[in-house]
Amino acid sequence: MGIKRKWGAALLAVAMMTATACTDKNSEDGKNDTAAGEKKPVTFTMFSADMNSNYEHMQSPVGKRITELTGVTLSIDYPVGDPKEKIALMAASGEYPDLIFAKNEVNMLVNAGAVIDLAPLIEKYGPNIKKLYGPYLERLKWSNEDPSIYYLGTYGVNEQQWEPKDGFMLQHQVVKELNYPSIKTLKDFESAIKSYKEKHPTVNGQPTIGLTLIAEDWRIAQSVTNPALFATGGSDDGEWYIDDKTKKPVFHFTRPEEKEYFRWLNHMFATGLLDQESFTQKYDQYKAKIASGRVLALIDSKWQYAEPEQALKQAGKPELTYGVYPVTLNERYKNRNFQNAGYSAALGISISKSAKDPVALIKFLDWICSDEAQILNSWGIEGVHYNIENGKRVIPQEIMTARNNDPQFGKKTGIGVYGYPFPYYGDGVKDSTGQTYSIKSEQQIMDSYTAPEKEVLSKYNAKMWRDLFPTASEFPVKPWGAAWQINIPQDTDGAVIVKKLQEIVRKRVPEMIMKSPDQFDAIWDAFQQDMEKAGVHKLEAQFEGLLQERMKLWGTN
């Protein structure tokens, strides 16, 4: 955003011109001026398929500043239960909020004619949108047959990945007491859990938990099923394993390699090393266990346990937080956490057909893409959350400590609240001053590590957790991006098959893990038969066509 000085009248004037919302609902240009120098506040409604526990109803300092600069207040609705049901109800009623982040259900909205083509609006009112996406704006087009842009893609544009996103986690105190053993295979991971748990059967009078998982609703993918793919050499492609050379997708649960991963989980459950409540506990219970400090190991995405981990730091117990290790089934496989998917842009925020003033909405979204808004969301307010020293943004130590340790920091300040799922520059992208839009840098990440974390890394001859993992250069850039973002059209057999397979997976996977080991093979065989009857191979054929279409659209085939 290039803010170098205090907010001034000129800056406010520019913001008013570029991002004010419209009060004249018949105005083609979306003007929000009631008289020279005045702007009338407006509220835009929005639905987000992903929860944001930091949403503060725009009452934080950053939230209030956004309203001050733009006149806009966002009223965001989040789902209770499965977001698909909420979106289906919207589509059935034909009534929609102004903005919708439908995630993977955007197909449903496009088919229902619920969202508008943003391309003409971007062309006329979106200079900042064009700048942020650059050449990737082409990737926002819906298909080869329909070049409309139905959403502004989320996820950081030109993101540099410096930290592992998901994996196998062990408390720092565990590896320290065991003298920093090699943690590369499931056998290594299990051995560390078992050895430490045997020495410390209780924590503060409560039973020590070796490994816990969260399988509630869709979270089963993050903690239970996706890791089966990652541990057997697969990349983050959701339900798909795609061969680098043939580019042929298979529904990853059909792979015999994954049978052995689930067999290992079955063994962990049978021996008591896996939490017996893993498949019945709610997310709040899961987080509470982690925050208690008695869970030695996790298998999950980092964002899922960030809140209880921050609570442990705030409580002065950093040794009970987690390191991330590149665990695989055995040494034949490489962990692909850092494989480059390029910019997928396959999910994002749409403007609905119910919106009375699309021009005002696109102007607001264009402002969100501006340098001003991007820095406000990432750094906060100058003079409050950062200062300018020698032309550079500098965060005071007490603010940085709070950012790293206070789980309520985002909610209290509004910093980061209006990033995802809105458009944003990825970590490492620099503004006109030469500083990064986000505060993240390799040095900032290393500075944020706790003393136990730094000690553990040094013992493994690493400076960052990424140093333990295979590098991005060891794998090809994925020409299809992230396959989990490729939508299967709702009016096809594939959409019906996907729903059936999801039900089968959510039934059979917990069953095969929790049953006695002598029943495992029979349940696995029944699992495979259930998927074949549901049409898994028909789905694979359809998805291969969609994958080829994606690469053709992007020019990467």
Side-chain angles (χ1 to χ4, degrees):
M1 98 176 73
I3 298 178
K4 302 178 185 178
R5 301 175 180 85
K6 300 290 184 182
W7 308 89
L11 189 61
L12 289 170
V14 171
M16 286 165 58
M17 289 193 307
T18 59
T20 50
C22 182
T23 54
D24 177 2
K25 302 307 179 185
N26 298 315
S27 167
E28 180 184 349
D29 293 326
K31 294 178 182 176
N32 189 32
D33 297 322
T34 55
E38 289 183 28
K39 61 180 184 292
K40 186 175 180 180
V42 65
T43 296
F44 292 141
T45 56
M46 176 176 165
F47 172 78
S48 172
D50 272 349
M51 294 294 295
N52 182 352
S53 60
N54 284 327
Y55 177 54
E56 29 59 272
H57 300 276
M58 302 197 77
Q59 294 305 300
S60 66
V62 167
K64 289 178 179 178
R65 182 56 60 96
I66 291 172
T67 300
E68 176 187 332
L69 291 171
T70 66
V72 171
T73 298
L74 288 172
S75 177
I76 306 178
D77 180 33
Y78 296 99
V80 177
D82 191 342
K84 293 180 185 177
E85 295 178 5
K86 175 76 172 181
I87 294 165
L89 286 173
M90 285 183 200
S93 70
E95 296 180 3
Y96 306 92
D98 297 313
L99 298 169
I100 307 173
F101 175 56
K103 210 170 180 181
N104 292 96
E105 304 311 311
V106 68
N107 256 333
M108 193 186 303
L109 298 180
V110 171
N111 290 344
V115 292
I116 67 172
D117 179 10
L118 304 180
L121 293 170
I122 293 170
E123 184 59 35
K124 191 169 183 181
Y125 304 107
N128 293 307
I129 294 171
K130 291 179 183 178
K131 176 175 176 283
L132 188 145
Y133 289 105
Y136 295 124
L137 193 64
E138 291 292 307
R139 292 193 175 188
L140 297 178
K141 292 179 178 178
W142 185 248
S143 68
N144 290 293
E145 294 73 30
D146 180 2
S148 303
I149 295 176
Y150 291 117
Y151 52 77
L152 294 184
T154 190
Y155 299 107
V157 178
N158 290 316
E159 177 101 56
Q160 293 187 36
Q161 186 183 347
W162 291 312
E163 290 277 81
K165 297 175 182 176
D166 41 51
F168 295 73
M169 293 81 186
L170 281 168
Q171 284 183 338
H172 302 314
Q173 67 173 3
V174 172
V175 295
K176 180 178 181 179
E177 181 160 326
L178 299 177
N179 197 27
Y180 309 101
S182 174
I183 308 292
K184 293 183 178 179
T185 66
L186 292 179
K187 184 178 179 180
D188 298 335
F189 190 62
E190 176 185 345
S191 178
I193 295 167
K194 183 179 180 182
S195 298
Y196 191 89
K197 189 173 186 288
E198 287 175 350
K199 292 181 180 180
H200 304 276
T202 62
V203 176
N204 295 326
Q206 292 183 297
T208 301
I209 297 171
L211 167 67
T212 193
L213 307 175
I214 178 64
E216 183 186 11
D217 200 17
W218 55 267
R219 296 185 193 276
I220 191 173
Q222 308 302 130
S223 187
V224 182
T225 59
N226 284 357
L229 177 65
F230 304 154
T232 54
S235 190
D236 189 3
D237 283 311
E239 308 300 342
W240 302 97
Y241 173 83
I242 304 171
D243 184 87
D244 288 329
K245 294 179 181 177
T246 66
K247 300 181 177 63
K248 190 174 182 64
V250 296
F251 196 65
H252 76 78
F253 298 95
T254 63
R255 301 168 64 231
E257 298 94 326
E258 294 191 25
K259 177 181 180 181
E260 299 313 307
Y261 177 82
F262 290 122
R263 189 192 300 278
W264 173 75
L265 281 181
N266 170 265
H267 155 75
M268 293 288 283
F269 191 86
T271 57
L273 291 176
L274 175 57
D275 183 5
Q276 304 294 288
E277 297 178 343
S278 289
F279 297 95
T280 56
Q281 65 187 341
K282 301 297 184 183
Y283 185 44
D284 284 346
Q285 294 172 301
Y286 173 75
K287 291 191 292 184
K289 284 179 181 177
I290 296 169
S292 75
R294 65 190 182 107
V295 178
L296 306 182
L298 304 172
I299 304 173
D300 207 348
S301 298
K302 291 194 74 174
W303 55 267
Q304 286 228 105
Y305 66 91
E307 187 180 336
E309 191 172 53
Q310 278 192 313
L312 286 166
K313 292 177 183 177
Q314 196 173 34
K317 300 176 181 178
E319 71 281 0
L320 303 183
T321 59
Y322 301 87
V324 190
Y325 298 87
V327 172
T328 52
L329 181 66
N330 55 51
E331 293 186 357
R332 286 176 45 211
Y333 301 100
K334 284 187 176 182
N335 186 295
R336 292 186 177 231
N337 211 297
F338 287 87
Q339 183 172 17
N340 190 348
Y343 186 68
S344 291
L347 308 171
I349 290 181
S350 305
I351 295 177
S352 82
K353 71 173 185 179
S354 300
K356 293 183 174 60
D357 197 342
V359 172
L361 285 159
I362 202 70
K363 284 185 174 184
F364 176 71
L365 292 172
D366 186 68
W367 179 81
I368 286 286
C369 295
S370 71
D371 282 13
E372 176 184 57
Q374 293 286 304
I375 294 171
L376 175 63
N377 184 64
S378 293
W379 292 77
I381 298 169
E382 182 186 342
V384 178
H385 305 114
Y386 71 92
N387 300 312
I388 300 294
E389 297 177 10
N390 299 318
K392 299 292 183 183
R393 294 184 292 276
V394 177
I395 298 174
Q397 187 55 52
E398 63 271 19
I399 298 293
M400 185 60 79
T401 299
R403 290 185 76 131
N404 291 334
N405 299 321
D406 184 356
Q408 296 295 311
F409 182 82
K411 193 161 192 170
K412 291 173 183 175
T413 64
I415 292 173
V417 173
Y418 301 96
Y420 176 91
F422 294 95
Y424 62 95
Y425 288 104
D427 294 337
V429 180
K430 294 180 179 179
D431 66 14
S432 59
T433 71
Q435 281 191 278
T436 52
Y437 286 99
S438 79
I439 71 162
K440 279 196 173 181
S441 67
E442 291 162 295
Q443 189 60 51
Q444 180 271 324
I445 292 169
M446 288 187 282
D447 289 345
S448 74
Y449 290 154
T450 61
E453 200 166 9
K454 291 175 181 177
E455 181 183 9
V456 168
L457 284 167
S458 70
K459 295 296 183 179
Y460 286 111
N461 296 314
K463 292 182 178 180
M464 302 178 73
W465 291 106
R466 73 171 183 194
D467 298 337
L468 303 181
F469 286 73
T471 63
S473 63
E474 296 180 51
F475 310 105
V477 176
K478 296 195 292 186
W480 55 82
W484 63 269
Q485 295 180 355
I486 297 175
N487 291 303
I488 295 170
Q490 293 293 314
D491 57 351
T492 63
D493 290 342
V496 177
I497 295 171
V498 164
K499 189 172 181 180
K500 290 180 181 177
L501 290 174
Q502 184 183 69
E503 292 172 355
I504 293 166
V505 167
R506 291 186 181 183
K507 174 189 173 185
R508 289 297 192 186
V509 170
E511 182 185 12
M512 77 173 76
I513 293 169
M514 291 191 288
K515 290 287 188 179
S516 64
D518 60 1
Q519 297 181 57
F520 178 85
D521 286 315
I523 298 172
W524 174 267
D525 291 343
F527 181 33
Q528 300 303 306
Q529 290 167 11
D530 288 348
M531 289 191 291
E532 288 187 14
K533 288 178 185 175
V536 66
H537 300 309
K538 184 176 182 180
L539 175 66
E540 288 171 340
Q542 180 185 351
F543 194 80
E544 184 173 8
L546 294 172
L547 198 68
Q548 294 297 327
E549 285 180 23
R550 160 72 68 89
M551 292 186 286
K552 182 180 177 182
L553 180 66
W554 288 6
T556 56
N557 55 341

